[in-house]
Amino acid sequence: MEKVAALQRTKMFEGLGETELAQITQKAVELRLQAGEMLFFSGERAKGLFVIASGKVRVFQHNTDGREQVMHVDTAGAVIADVPVFDDGPYPASAITEEDSELLFIDKHDIRQFCLDHPTFALQALRLMAQRVRRHARLVEVLSFHEVGQRLAFLLLTEAQNAGVDGHGRTTFKLPLSNHEIAIRIGSVRDVVSRALARLQHDGLVEVKARAVTIVDIRTLKLYAENRH
């Protein structure tokens, strides 16, 4: 694993100079995990943050009924568990690898000292955490005030964006998720997701063939997701 390259791919560390990168790279520990291995559990004492060099990690919580709610799924270039590094609290959610992954672990004490030594980096870290808070607030809004069909529309729009397609007009992308996996991510169950997806197709908003999803019109689907159709 090339530690410097992995750190430079992240928004948190990308602006550092060679000297600063060398300093923090020395503190980073390489981890290689197989699919299905836990990084940490919700409520566990936070020891530090993780940088994904390759692979995929799912961050989630369980409600009182034991149902899993996915907070976010991250790939290479993402930083995980930065919040408890700074508030000294436990991990607020659990994290598990969805595929074989390579990560860097940096102890929270090293990160804190690095912030004291480099105030500009500290401001960047705070900015990124603020963005994460906004995304979580949006997730709460979607789960609380939108029906399953709208949540599904939001997920499809996000997956299209992650696939690198443009946000104009008609667009097609490969959906790697099963209906069960979709249900977990939008706080529902598989049968309800299947019906919601069929409804989107019936209404002419999307087309699905062998997990290839075509959004007929990006703007129209956004209006539907926001309940402004």
Side-chain angles (χ1 to χ4, degrees), residues 45 47-48 85 88 106-114:
R45 184 175 67 87
K47 300 178 181 179
V85 164
D88 210 26
I106 306 176
D107 188 275
K108 65 180 180 182
H109 300 294
D110 292 326
I111 287 293
R112 290 177 180 177
Q113 186 59 53
F114 193 75

Side-chain angles (χ1 to χ4, degrees), residues 88-100:
D88 210 26
Y91 291 118
S94 301
I96 187 172
T97 54
E98 288 198 336
E99 58 189 43
D100 292 352

Side-chain angles (χ1 to χ4, degrees), residues 162-176:
N162 292 341
V165 300
D166 63 49
H168 304 286
R170 185 183 180 92
T171 188
T172 300
F173 63 97
K174 192 74 172 180
L175 182 65

